[in-house]
Amino acid sequence: MFKIRIRHTKRYKEIINTFLRNGLSHFLFRLGLTNRDPKHEGDGMKLQDIGVKLRESLQELGPTFIKLGQIASSRRDLVPPKIALELEKLQDHVASVPFEQIRKIIESELEGPLEDFFGHFSEQPLATASIGQVHVAKLHSGEEVAVKVQRPDIRPTMETDLAILDDLASFLESKADWAKTYRLHDMIVEFSRSLNSELDYHVEGRNCERIGQQFEEQREIVVPKVYWDFSTDKVLTMERIQGIKANDFEKLDKGGYDRKLIARRIVDSMLHQILDEGFFHGDPHPGNIFILPGNIVSFLDFGMVGRLDNKMRYHFAPLILHMRNQNTEGIIDILAEMGILSDDTDIYAFSRDMNELQSKYYDVPLDELSLGTVFIELFQAAQQHHIFIPTEIAVLGKSILILEGLISKLDPELNIMEAVEPFGKKLMWKRYNPKSVIENSWIEFIENFGIISHFPKDLKAVATTIRKGKLQLNLNVHQLQKYLHMLDRISNRLSFSIALLSFSILLAGMIIGSAIIGQTNVLSHFPI
């Protein structure tokens, strides 16, 4: 049975008893977490019933497990759809903290009486959640603000829960192949990192400002201002945004708002965050999007964000285009370049399943395709072949799915698959324009030059070992093919990088030469 640290024993027993009480004893036994054999209890249980029992258990266990369930609901590559749909219903609302406790936290954090900082402070919370609650207040300078205050003593409880989950993941990886295949421990580490960020309101404030900077020149998108003088890691004071929730269609229609324009602005602003900036709102549900007079869109709550580095964005753009054009070979090539496919992946079987998935959408008009649904089915196909989907892509898939649910009601004629195409093309042009090609080629050359420069030393070390008679080879045929394939890829990268660098130098010379002789025709600021 799983061993945990003594100080966590009480909480561990509470977790186990909660799952047992909600009828999940069979699955705890199969995981090796209990010694009690439930005699095949649950073998015939439907997935939806399992989802309900799991949701009720997580809800009862509190903030850490509620957050875990919410994140698990987005991992359609790991969690069956019927269970994921139940986990999406997890509510983050709990009983409010009495105002006197809120006052103590604020005064302790800001180091002074509440009245010194706020001219008015509402004792009744505007909203409550598992980590904190929000109160409306007014600064002495007159600005209305929303003050988010962290619940008392929540950090120690979460730290205990995260330590137990970390130990549990390590235990399962040591006992179950599926846990090792899906890197369960790495996923819990990533979850812990994300949750610890949510516990630090400094991080949320910086997230808010970073996304706000993306729209400094766009008046139609508003992000609330952060008041740092009245903020700490447990108190976050922000500009109060008063508007209509994006899914309150009755109020929008009564107020004469343009739902089509709102939908287009929401989609374009999210795609700008994802594909242009690589830093985006990770939970764009209607409660986090308010509509202001003039069809202005405002994003709120930046505790969860997604990140895509340049490499991931450059891969994402052609992936979308290949999905749009039903190009199975292109999709598999992109997944291989992203490093998602493992050496054990049966490419033929995966390609066959991808072709079946593509045939499902054959001849389906583009305006009827759901990018979020296609993503989910791609994740599910990957899961069947034990292909690990990076967290960044999973968060992206979840964001797009949530977004499509809202957009389909605001403007049924707007399709994200069509809206993403110009962003994807712009990103691909950015990747392949001459300046980027030269910069990337030089970086590739420098990286691979390190391999070349160390090769003589490595070869000398091997020769010395052979002369001493200490070289031992213990490779089976499967391993030999694996390493030969690895060496082949390294040599191909070296050859391609050197050739591309040579071409880039030649191209740069032609550009400079054309400029010298006074060539007037230009293309994208370069002389033709």
Side-chain angles (χ1 to χ4, degrees):
M1 185 174 175
F2 175 54
K3 296 180 181 179
I4 60 173
R5 287 166 289 192
I6 295 176
R7 70 177 184 271
H8 296 153
T9 301
K10 182 179 179 181
R11 178 58 171 166
Y12 178 75
K13 288 181 177 179
E14 182 182 342
I15 293 168
I16 294 297
N17 289 334
T18 299
F19 285 114
L20 290 174
R21 190 167 55 252
N22 284 290
L24 294 171
S25 57
H26 175 66
F27 301 97
L28 294 178
F29 175 76
R30 292 184 64 179
L31 289 174
L33 300 180
T34 62
N35 294 322
R36 184 171 61 185
D37 185 353
K39 297 181 180 180
H40 305 293
E41 174 191 334
D43 280 350
M45 195 183 300
K46 295 180 181 179
L47 283 177
Q48 186 174 358
D49 295 333
I50 295 173
V52 171
K53 293 178 180 295
L54 184 58
R55 172 173 56 79
E56 291 173 347
S57 300
L58 298 177
Q59 190 80 51
E60 188 176 336
L61 287 170
T64 308
F65 291 88
I66 290 173
K67 293 291 183 183
L68 181 63
Q70 290 172 341
I71 290 177
S73 70
S74 68
R75 293 306 303 251
R76 301 301 178 91
D77 54 317
L78 303 175
V79 180
K82 291 184 179 179
I83 294 180
L85 287 173
E86 281 297 325
L87 295 182
E88 285 179 352
K89 300 176 184 177
L90 279 165
Q91 297 297 312
D92 207 19
H93 302 289
V94 292
S96 61
V97 177
F99 174 68
E100 284 308 312
Q101 292 187 43
I102 294 296
R103 171 188 281 273
K104 287 180 181 179
I105 294 171
I106 293 175
E107 292 182 344
S108 173
E109 289 295 308
L110 299 184
E111 300 179 348
L114 181 72
E115 290 74 17
D116 286 356
F117 307 105
F118 303 101
H120 169 74
F121 196 99
S122 175
E123 295 188 7
Q124 295 300 317
L126 180 66
T128 61
S130 55
I131 292 180
Q133 62 188 45
V134 178
H135 290 257
V136 174
K138 182 177 287 188
L139 301 177
H140 288 296
S141 53
E143 296 101 323
E144 281 201 357
V145 293
V147 184
K148 182 186 286 190
V149 185
Q150 193 170 113
R151 302 176 74 87
D153 303 323
I154 191 172
R155 188 180 290 271
T157 301
M158 284 193 162
E159 286 176 349
T160 297
D161 288 344
L162 291 174
I164 290 173
L165 288 172
D166 185 84
D167 288 344
L168 177 60
S170 298
F171 168 76
L172 290 175
E173 280 199 1
S174 69
K175 298 293 183 181
D177 290 338
W178 65 267
K180 189 180 299 182
T181 299
Y182 293 120
R183 308 178 196 174
L184 185 62
H185 184 261
D186 289 345
M187 292 174 63
I188 293 299
V189 169
E190 176 64 24
F191 170 66
S192 298
R193 186 197 64 77
S194 174
L195 195 53
N196 281 318
S197 293
E198 285 197 54
L199 287 171
D200 186 349
Y201 287 167
H202 279 133
V203 175
E204 181 174 344
R206 289 194 295 270
N207 291 341
C208 177
E209 286 196 330
R210 184 171 174 180
I211 291 181
Q213 289 169 3
Q214 298 175 7
F215 299 103
E216 284 181 333
E217 305 300 324
Q218 300 182 39
R219 292 186 175 182
E220 65 272 17
I221 306 296
V222 169
V223 174
K225 174 185 176 182
V226 179
Y227 292 88
W228 288 111
D229 290 341
F230 308 96
S231 299
T232 68
D233 62 340
K234 293 182 181 179
V235 175
L236 180 61
T237 302
M238 307 176 73
E239 173 188 2
R240 186 188 180 191
I241 300 294
Q242 299 187 65
I244 302 172
K245 286 186 178 181
N247 64 344
D248 194 339
F249 308 119
E250 184 177 348
K251 281 189 178 180
L252 290 174
D253 290 340
K254 283 184 178 179
Y257 288 84
D258 187 337
R259 286 167 59 170
K260 288 181 178 293
L261 179 58
I262 291 169
R264 170 56 69 175
R265 285 179 173 177
I266 292 174
V267 168
D268 286 348
S269 61
M270 279 300 299
L271 292 177
H272 171 69
Q273 293 174 54
I274 294 167
L275 293 177
D276 290 341
E277 303 290 344
F279 188 86
F280 59 94
H281 199 301
D283 192 19
H285 65 74
N288 288 336
I289 302 176
F290 275 25
I291 309 302
L292 312 183
N295 301 301
I296 293 173
V297 175
S298 179
F299 290 96
L300 307 174
D301 195 349
F302 301 90
M304 182 182 292
V305 294
R307 295 172 175 83
L308 293 179
D309 59 24
N310 286 341
K311 185 177 180 181
M312 195 70 76
R313 284 188 291 137
Y314 288 155
H315 285 139
F316 178 71
L319 179 64
I320 293 297
L321 296 179
H322 288 319
M323 290 168 65
R324 178 189 184 281
N325 297 325
Q326 300 183 350
N327 181 357
T328 299
E329 288 186 7
I331 292 174
I332 292 176
D333 287 343
I334 293 298
L335 294 179
E337 288 182 25
M338 294 170 71
I340 290 176
L341 303 184
S342 70
D343 294 323
D344 298 327
T345 302
D346 186 336
I347 299 298
Y348 174 79
F350 182 54
S351 178
R352 180 196 60 214
D353 289 350
M354 288 300 302
N355 281 325
E356 290 181 4
L357 176 61
Q358 298 283 11
S359 65
K360 177 180 177 180
Y361 296 106
Y362 185 73
D363 280 344
V364 175
L366 186 63
D367 59 2
E368 295 180 15
L369 282 177
S370 164
L371 181 57
T373 301
V374 173
F375 256 116
I376 287 175
E377 296 192 352
L378 175 62
F379 291 172
Q380 290 170 350
Q383 184 269 340
Q384 293 172 5
H385 293 273
H386 306 293
I387 297 171
F388 179 76
I389 301 296
T391 302
E392 300 93 333
I393 297 296
V395 172
L396 176 59
K398 171 196 171 186
S399 297
I400 290 176
L401 191 66
I402 293 173
L403 201 60
E404 282 189 325
L406 172 62
I407 298 305
S408 65
K409 295 174 182 176
L410 276 172
D411 179 12
E413 296 178 1
L414 178 58
N415 183 268
I416 294 184
M417 187 73 87
E418 288 181 324
V420 78
E421 188 169 351
F423 287 89
K425 288 181 176 179
K426 181 172 65 174
L427 193 59
M428 290 183 71
W429 164 245
K430 182 179 178 181
R431 180 183 183 182
Y432 292 114
N433 74 62
K435 181 180 178 182
S436 295
V437 168
I438 293 172
E439 288 178 352
N440 293 333
S441 300
W442 178 249
I443 292 171
E444 286 276 346
F445 178 77
I446 293 298
E447 290 176 350
N448 291 320
F449 184 76
I451 299 174
I452 298 172
S453 63
H454 285 91
F455 184 73
K457 294 180 182 179
D458 295 338
L459 190 60
K460 182 180 179 180
V462 172
T464 301
T465 304
I466 293 174
R467 282 199 303 271
K468 292 180 179 180
K470 295 182 179 180
L471 181 66
Q472 294 182 352
L473 293 176
N474 185 24
L475 298 175
N476 59 38
V477 175
H478 174 72
Q479 288 175 320
L480 182 61
Q481 292 299 324
K482 174 182 176 180
Y483 288 114
L484 287 174
H485 177 65
M486 187 187 307
L487 288 171
D488 185 52
R489 288 183 62 188
I490 291 173
S491 64
N492 284 340
R493 286 188 65 191
L494 284 170
S495 301
F496 178 74
S497 298
I498 293 170
L500 191 56
L501 180 64
S502 302
F503 171 76
S504 301
I505 293 171
L506 178 62
L507 179 62
M510 293 175 64
I511 292 171
I512 294 169
S514 299
I516 291 173
I517 64 173
Q519 175 62 267
T520 56
N521 295 323
V522 295
L523 177 63
S524 186
H525 307 294
F526 285 99
I528 294 177

